[in-house]
Amino acid sequence: MDSVVPPFWGPDFDELSSTDPEIAQVVLGELDRLRAGLQLIASENLTSPAVLAALGSTLTNKYAEGYPGRRYYGGCAQVDQAETIGLTRARELFGAGHANLQPHSGASANLAAYAALVAPGEKVLAMELPHGGHLTHGSRVNFSGRWFDAVGYPVRADTELIDYDQVRDLARRHRPKLIICGATAYPRLIDFAAFRSIADEVDAYLMVDAAHFIGLVAGGAIPSPVPYADVVCATTHKVLRGPRGGMILCRAEFAERIDKAVFPFTQGGPLMHAVAAKAVALREAARPAFGEYAAQVVRNARTLADGLAEAGMRPVSGGTDTHLALIDLREVGVSGRDAEARCELARITLNKNAIPYDPQPPMTASGIRVGTGCVTTQGMTEPQLRVVAELIARAVRADPATVAGTAELTEIAGAVTELVAEFPAYPRPVEYSR
Ligand code: DSN
């Protein structure tokens, strides 16, 4: 190529600094934040520089309503290639009959799946939000609860696990048109075969919201829902480590319905830079190294949950099989809200979270949720996760309203800085002018 401009216009912080110093400072400040602390939000990860390069490319400029070879605009030859490559990778990686990479987010993917499978007013059975579900699983403040007749299933109070007999009873009683499994704060494996059998018994569609765990599926660390579900919705930015966005996998017979539900029913032009970045992430996820990563994510989450349990902080359901643990803080006497704030002062980022049958409102919450996607990307393994558990346990108990608590949080922040210095986020030197 004789081109005098680079084939893609990658992230150029010097350019950003001179054009918009204010936003440049925000971008660099966020990089500093990532590097200075521990990122334990279970729905986040640290994308590769290759994913960032695709995201920061000129593909952001292109309007491409439609699908490869069937666009409403000219000039789509290059983006057609990006999307076709990404779709092939998605189908091959997950063994799916059909894929769609255009949903802007996990919630958008779920909206499209509803649009493809059910009509407004029809009955949907999904996990209750306070028990680990998602807003799009029937919450009254969301389209799913407003436009559909949503029935929720809880987890059992004694085991904090899904009770498949109870789900079957609810399905028999309510005869939903759509059953959804998948969650944002359920640390255990989900029995997709059981859900398939329940859906078949009541003649319902089965949608799996795999937003949280699709990366573990990609890496072979947990069983795949693809053979059991009619439609699998996912995000691409959690353990899968791609750009922020959504993805749908489905059986071939649902291909046309799903594609039409994404565009033109619920979305307009796709974000082609994001689609290309999803393709990059899918290539990365197909490598053997990603399988090792996914397995380590689970080992790290188990180590973290065990370490917190030893420190007197009870993991909901007794532990985890996945990338996340939900921790009940009632015995410690600290709310999830206060724990989140204390940890933040110690440079540990995590989120407050409702636990099943939580007596507190969601903005207070009795628990915290921790996930190991980011720290595993940074190269941490079991020895470091034991240290992380100790640091969290100390931070949660340190009251910043006291002199001793403030001193303790400062000391923990120092220990965090030392730990992450050995396992930096985005380790390549970045020496951009400020
Ligand atoms: N906000 C995401 C999470 O943290 O789980 C779900 O949408």
Side-chain angles (χ1 to χ4, degrees):
M1 293 250 299
D2 293 323
S3 174
V4 292
V5 293
F8 68 83
W9 196 255
D12 185 332
F13 285 106
D14 282 338
E15 181 76 19
L16 182 59
S17 287
S18 59
T19 304
D20 190 338
E22 283 175 277
I23 291 298
Q25 282 308 310
V26 173
V27 171
L28 293 174
E30 173 62 4
L31 187 57
D32 286 346
R33 185 189 72 81
L34 288 175
R35 286 174 165 171
L38 281 164
Q39 312 308 324
L40 297 171
I41 304 269
S43 45
E44 294 179 1
N45 210 329
L46 306 167
T47 57
S48 69
V51 167
L52 289 181
L55 272 180
S57 72
T58 53
L59 270 63
T60 194
N61 298 323
K62 193 72 200 88
Y63 253 121
E65 275 106 327
Y67 291 98
R70 297 176 286 138
R71 305 284 189 187
Y72 288 82
Y73 288 83
C76 288
Q78 303 307 322
V79 293
D80 270 9
Q81 281 191 49
E83 188 164 355
T84 302
I85 290 167
L87 291 170
T88 304
R89 290 178 185 167
R91 286 193 306 269
E92 287 178 355
L93 183 58
F94 297 105
H98 181 71
N100 189 307
L101 292 177
Q102 292 192 9
H104 301 326
S105 67
S108 305
N110 289 356
L111 172 61
Y114 275 82
L117 300 174
V118 277
E122 287 189 320
K123 201 157 269 184
V124 173
L125 177 63
M127 187 182 238
E128 287 176 12
L129 180 62
H131 290 247
H134 186 250
L135 279 171
T136 54
H137 298 180
S139 164
R140 301 291 164 217
V141 297
N142 179 263
F143 79 87
S144 55
R146 184 91 61 82
W147 294 344
F148 298 89
D149 185 4
V151 178
Y153 57 86
V155 294
R156 284 177 63 118
D158 53 353
T159 60
E160 297 167 316
L161 299 174
I162 295 169
D163 179 340
Y164 296 92
D165 292 333
Q166 185 182 22
V167 176
R168 192 178 293 276
D169 287 346
L170 285 166
R172 283 177 180 159
R173 190 168 350 132
H174 294 282
R175 310 293 301 183
K177 183 88 184 287
L178 173 66
I179 297 177
I180 300 176
C181 62
T184 65
Y186 186 71
R188 296 303 191 167
L189 296 180
I190 294 171
D191 186 343
F192 304 121
F195 271 102
R196 178 75 261 169
S197 125
I198 296 166
D200 284 345
E201 186 181 327
V202 298
D203 203 19
Y205 294 119
L206 177 62
M207 170 188 146
V208 176
D209 184 346
H212 258 268
F213 52 81
I214 194 73
L216 298 178
V217 174
I222 65 168
S224 171
V226 171
Y228 302 99
D230 296 306
V231 174
V232 175
C233 294
T235 55
T236 48
H237 51 270
K238 298 188 174 87
V239 179
L240 190 57
R241 210 161 56 187
R244 185 158 295 275
M247 170 172 73
I248 302 178
L249 308 166
C250 66
R251 290 208 223 284
E253 68 194 90
F254 293 100
E256 195 178 340
R257 281 157 76 175
I258 286 292
D259 283 355
K260 284 183 172 163
V262 174
F263 171 82
F265 195 76
T266 59
Q267 290 189 178
L271 312 177
M272 294 314 301
H273 58 307
V275 169
K278 290 171 192 176
V280 175
L282 290 164
R283 182 186 172 101
E284 292 177 346
R287 293 179 180 153
F290 193 85
E292 291 158 25
Y293 164 74
Q296 189 63 50
V297 165
V298 176
R299 286 196 292 271
N300 282 351
R302 285 202 173 117
T303 304
L304 182 53
D306 290 349
L308 290 167
E310 280 164 27
M313 299 183 172
R314 187 185 75 87
V316 166
S317 83
T320 181
D321 305 318
T322 65
H323 61 299
L324 70 85
L326 188 58
I327 308 298
D328 177 358
L329 296 177
R330 286 174 301 177
E331 286 285 304
V332 187
V334 177
S335 70
R337 181 190 54 207
D338 288 347
E340 176 188 303
R342 291 175 185 191
C343 285
E344 183 140 16
L345 290 169
R347 298 197 182 143
I348 300 170
T349 305
L350 47 72
N351 63 280
K352 62 181 162 296
N353 213 104
I355 59 170
Y357 305 96
D358 201 323
Q360 298 290 345
M363 288 304 282
T364 305
S366 299
I368 51 173
R369 188 185 65 165
V370 287
T372 51
C374 293
V375 292
T376 311
T377 293
Q378 289 169 251
M380 294 189 201
T381 57
E382 289 89 333
Q384 289 78 45
L385 270 295
R386 281 191 273 276
V387 174
V388 172
E390 285 165 19
L391 296 176
I392 293 173
R394 283 172 59 193
V396 166
R397 291 186 170 97
D399 183 353
T402 66
V403 174
T406 303
E408 171 77 337
L409 289 167
T410 304
E411 202 177 303
I412 299 165
V416 167
T417 304
E418 277 178 32
L419 177 60
V420 295
E422 281 182 65
F423 299 89
Y426 294 103
R428 279 199 232 162
V430 180
E431 292 170 14
Y432 301 108
S433 48
R434 295 191 181 230

